[in-house]
Amino acid sequence: MASCIYFCDSKGRSILSRRYRDDISPSAIEKFPSLLVDSEQESNVIPPCLTHNGIQYLFIQHNDLYVLTMTRSLSVNVAQVFAFLYKLVDVLAEYVKTVEEESIRDNFVIIYELLDEMMDYGIPQITETKMLKQYITQKSFKLIKSAKKSKNVMRPPSQLTKSVSWRPEGITYKKNEAFLDVIESINMLITAQGQVLRSEILGTVKVKSHLSGMPDLKLGLNDKGIFTSDGNASQVDSSTQKRSNIELEDLKFHQCVRLSKFENEKIITFIPPDGDFELMNYRLSTPIKPLIWCDVKIQVHSKSRIEIHCRAKAQIKKKSTANNVEILIPIPDDADSPKFKYSHGSVKWVPEKSAIIWKLKSFPGGKEYSMAAQLGLPSISDLEIPKAKRPVQVKFQIPYFTTSGIQVRYLKINEPKLQYQSYPWVRYITESGDDYTIRTA
């Protein structure tokens, strides 16, 4: 996959390197600084892949560092390369806290050890931080030696000799619990007339495992257009599944999930890592109606003041309630002297964002609230007509609700040796994504 790993400073000069193959000359890294400069001069934006003399320079930028790998192969899995580079930075952060030029120079011994364990001949090997910490310590920067009398014998951690590499043995809890959160983020682009131009659901199933021993969990989900009888899933690659008018574009599992069991029976079985982890995530591009709809009208009076009327409606079931709703309405940069009238919540003028923010702590389904604002426009000229070109942004969170209809039918926990009583907890949350916006009239 990769011939080498380099850590370079902000100018692209090598600080530390580990070579796995000899197909690329060590002098190739000397060209990297000039490639960065040429690329920045051409487009002002440096792409994550540069090519020179048949060598592909693939890199990410983190703080004042470039983390770089090189390859001559055109068939390399680029997504896997970047996933490894980002994972490498995450692992280093667990050891050196802040990954930057100074910390790389100060901790080169432990970084070399990690590079040797995480990749072999350019192929990723161990990337689980919990397992690496079993035998690479932060304080001594040396491998932990075997407890036997022979001091020169190095033993791999027990996780390397078993199929369950992500979970050590001997974990114990006084109270055995598993918490499962189904979180769906909604991104939408809506016209001023209420037409949905784009919508998607980004779903994540998060697990917090506080379970003793080596438990085996079985998770059953409903089949309302989410999974099909002939669908496939992959831990690395995306898959496409269709049923009715719902299209599941991406479905990815944590490595602990037994994929063959899921493909055959649509049941998710796994031995969980200890603590917090993402069990699965998915994406749905499907037409859905706005959950929180805002009708915003902006009027200019005598070119000296602007008036804004906002009517917000919670278009969710009456038994559901949206919490911590924030409606950010853009206003002209020079608007001032605001006056507000509103039926519920609180309204605040935020001049640094050129916006007013209407906050509703609780917004029950089916309810409709209104707000009016009037602001002065001191710098208006006869040739200018103020217009807020930016869309309205909406944030919200709806507990006990999923837009896709995904539901957990059961979560069974079995520890064959300990046979303890366990307590599974399931929670559903739907929230606004990073791009839930409504255009203004």
Side-chain angles (χ1 to χ4, degrees):
M1 184 192 83
S3 297
C4 53
I5 296 291
Y6 280 88
F7 290 88
C8 302
D9 63 15
S10 58
K11 296 185 181 297
R13 296 170 299 197
S14 176
I15 302 171
L16 181 149
S17 66
R18 175 65 171 89
R19 296 177 55 77
Y20 300 100
R21 302 182 184 182
D22 296 326
D23 57 336
I24 295 178
S25 171
S27 62
I29 191 63
E30 298 174 2
K31 185 64 179 176
F32 185 56
S34 60
L35 291 175
L36 290 175
V37 173
D38 294 343
S39 177
E40 188 172 13
Q41 289 177 347
E42 288 179 5
S43 61
N44 292 325
V45 178
I46 302 176
C49 179
L50 300 174
T51 304
H52 179 72
N53 287 345
I55 300 174
Q56 315 298 323
Y57 295 77
L58 307 173
F59 59 92
I60 63 173
Q61 192 170 8
H62 182 82
N63 292 333
D64 58 352
L65 290 172
Y66 288 99
V67 186
L68 164 77
T69 184
M70 290 184 279
T71 180
R72 287 188 180 274
S73 175
L74 295 176
S75 60
V76 67
N77 188 332
V78 177
Q80 188 182 38
V81 171
F82 286 113
F84 177 81
L85 294 179
Y86 281 110
K87 184 63 177 179
L88 174 60
V89 171
D90 290 342
V91 170
L92 290 180
E94 292 290 330
Y95 281 88
V96 302
K97 303 305 180 185
T98 303
V99 182
E100 56 187 19
E101 180 180 345
E102 183 178 356
S103 63
I104 295 296
R105 294 185 186 275
D106 292 343
N107 296 276
F108 67 91
V109 174
I110 195 170
I111 292 173
Y112 276 122
E113 290 183 356
L114 288 168
L115 290 174
D116 285 340
E117 298 300 332
M118 294 182 67
M119 181 171 279
D120 182 29
Y121 198 64
I123 300 173
Q125 300 295 314
I126 309 169
T127 58
E128 289 290 332
T129 308
K130 290 182 180 179
M131 191 172 72
L132 289 166
K133 281 195 172 184
Q134 293 287 317
Y135 60 106
I136 298 181
T137 64
Q138 184 176 2
K139 293 181 180 179
S140 65
F141 303 123
K142 295 179 181 179
L143 293 174
I144 296 177
K145 297 182 179 180
S146 172
K148 293 186 177 182
K149 293 182 179 180
S150 177
K151 296 183 178 180
N152 297 323
V153 176
M154 299 300 299
R155 298 279 183 178
S158 59
Q159 284 83 348
L160 289 177
T161 62
K162 303 180 304 180
S163 59
V164 185
S165 62
W166 53 85
R167 183 182 180 91
E169 291 184 340
I171 297 174
T172 58
Y173 286 96
K174 290 184 178 180
K175 186 176 182 181
N176 292 280
E177 298 177 304
F179 302 88
L180 190 145
D181 287 343
V182 180
I183 304 172
E184 292 190 343
S185 298
I186 310 299
N187 289 323
M188 301 188 79
L189 176 60
I190 312 164
T191 67
Q193 292 73 36
Q195 180 184 0
V196 178
L197 300 179
R198 182 184 70 249
S199 63
E200 70 171 359
I201 303 170
L202 301 177
T204 303
V205 178
K206 295 183 177 181
V207 177
K208 178 185 286 186
S209 172
H210 289 172
L211 300 170
S212 304
M214 198 66 67
D216 203 321
L217 276 63
K218 182 184 290 186
L219 173 64
L221 300 175
N222 65 324
D223 190 14
K224 291 186 176 181
I226 303 300
F227 306 130
T228 63
S229 59
D230 59 347
N232 296 314
S234 172
Q235 290 170 330
V236 184
D237 300 324
S238 302
S239 60
T240 301
Q241 306 169 3
K242 294 182 179 180
R243 175 172 178 168
S244 184
N245 62 340
I246 296 179
E247 181 178 349
L248 182 61
E249 296 183 356
D250 290 288
L251 175 60
K252 297 178 182 178
F253 289 109
H254 189 275
Q255 63 174 321
C256 66
V257 175
R258 302 181 182 97
L259 287 183
S260 59
K261 188 79 170 177
F262 172 78
E263 291 170 356
N264 295 330
E265 303 178 27
K266 296 298 167 290
I267 297 174
I268 301 172
T269 60
F270 58 98
I271 297 175
D274 187 43
D276 298 330
F277 69 99
E278 284 192 8
L279 178 66
M280 61 176 282
N281 55 67
Y282 54 91
R283 180 164 65 95
L284 287 165
S285 292
T286 180
I288 55 176
K289 70 176 183 180
L291 303 181
I292 303 294
W293 160 242
C294 298
D295 182 15
V296 180
K297 299 188 183 300
I298 301 176
Q299 296 178 316
V300 179
H301 297 280
S302 304
K303 298 181 181 180
S304 61
R305 63 185 177 92
I306 187 171
E307 194 171 337
I308 299 171
H309 294 273
C310 178
R311 181 170 56 89
K313 184 176 182 180
Q315 299 186 146
I316 53 180
K317 295 180 180 180
K318 291 184 178 180
K319 64 180 181 180
S320 298
T321 300
N323 297 329
N324 302 318
V325 179
E326 288 189 11
I327 303 170
L328 188 147
I329 304 172
I331 58 176
D333 294 340
D334 55 355
D336 62 7
S337 305
K339 297 180 181 179
F340 303 119
K341 291 183 180 180
Y342 47 92
S343 57
H344 287 78
S346 62
V347 183
K348 183 180 180 181
W349 174 42
V350 187
E352 61 270 20
K353 293 185 177 181
S354 297
I356 56 177
I357 298 180
W358 183 14
K359 293 184 178 182
L360 298 160
K361 190 174 182 180
S362 178
F363 202 164
K367 292 290 185 179
E368 183 176 310
Y369 300 138
S370 60
M371 184 275 298
Q374 183 174 293
L375 300 99
L377 295 170
S379 62
I380 195 70
S381 68
D382 294 337
L383 300 177
E384 294 176 326
I385 297 178
K387 185 178 181 181
K389 296 181 180 180
R390 294 174 293 139
V392 173
Q393 296 178 333
V394 183
K395 295 180 180 179
F396 58 85
Q397 191 176 82
I398 308 172
Y400 317 112
F401 175 78
T402 59
T403 307
S404 67
I406 189 172
Q407 294 288 326
V408 175
R409 288 190 287 125
Y410 57 82
L411 178 61
K412 298 179 180 179
I413 302 170
N414 178 41
E415 214 297 334
K417 293 182 179 180
L418 302 179
Q419 293 289 331
Y420 50 71
Q421 186 177 10
S422 56
Y423 303 91
W425 305 90
V426 181
R427 180 174 61 172
Y428 303 94
I429 301 174
T430 292
E431 59 188 14
S432 56
D434 296 330
D435 188 22
Y436 190 105
T437 54
I438 305 171
R439 293 177 178 175
T440 55

